[in-house]
Amino acid sequence: MERVKKVRVVSIIGIAMLIVAVFVVYALFTSKEEDTAKIYVGNLEVILQEDWPKDVPETGIERNNKKVWGESVADKKAYVRMRFIPVVNYQFVGTEDGVEISEWRTAPIPQEDIRVTIADNENWVKQGDYYYYKKILQPRETTDKLDVSWEVLELPSTLTKFENLRVDVRVLLEYSQTSNEVWKDIFQIDDLPAGVER
């Protein structure tokens, strides 16, 4: 009888130790330290703004001009650069594969037959095909405006049959954050042009 009591006591102690072990293991794996860290990363965006003269016709190849600039609409500083690509379009009206078509198409005109002029601006510097803004663009600010003008020097005779022609200079605006030299990857350059703020 005494042996049965011992077995019961040992069993009860064993079960109690097992229950304590389960609670300890559960507590170790479910306990977590509550900590809150607020991190503000911010964002970066610069948009292109264009200002055309009011009297520019929709069609025509006469000399044209416009002002362009970048506007920061975000919270981080940025490097900004622009590239200018002249494009002549003609309005094709006709039938292709039995379907009536009326659409603007890009004319195959060599870039050297269109003169693009960028007015001098002390806050922009040219390197390669790009104009770099010399200042670091601050959040919610704008770059200085660039005056862009263009003129078609020679029009291929194949385009003279089209009544409606139009010319524009498309502006490619690129921007990058100023920290960690990310601009090297974004702009695909090893160094910023001389005169650009660092």
Side-chain angles (χ1 to χ4, degrees), residues 5-24:
K5 279 187 179 181
K6 272 187 177 182
V7 170
R8 282 186 185 164
V9 170
V10 169
S11 296
I12 291 173
I13 291 174
I15 292 172
M17 288 178 55
L18 182 62
I19 291 172
V20 169
V22 167
F23 279 116
V24 168

Side-chain angles (χ1 to χ4, degrees), residues 80-82 84 118 124-126 129-133 146:
V80 178
R81 73 177 186 175
M82 292 186 192
F84 302 94
I118 311 298
W124 291 87
V125 61
K126 185 174 188 212
D129 293 331
Y130 290 90
Y131 285 81
Y132 291 80
Y133 191 53
L146 278 174

Side-chain angles (χ1 to χ4, degrees), residues 48 50 52 66 68 81-89 106-107 109-118 126 129-131 148-152 166-174:
L48 174 67
E50 295 182 309
W52 286 78
K66 63 182 173 182
V68 296
R81 73 177 186 175
M82 292 186 192
R83 182 176 178 196
F84 302 94
I85 305 163
V87 178
V88 174
N89 294 347
T106 301
I109 297 179
Q111 297 293 303
E112 56 269 9
D113 289 346
I114 306 171
R115 179 185 299 139
V116 177
T117 305
I118 311 298
K126 185 174 188 212
D129 293 331
Y130 290 90
Y131 285 81
V148 184
S149 57
W150 57 93
E151 176 179 22
V152 177
R166 66 182 180 190
V167 65
D168 185 15
V169 172
R170 293 190 181 141
V171 182
L172 173 65
L173 181 140
E174 296 178 346

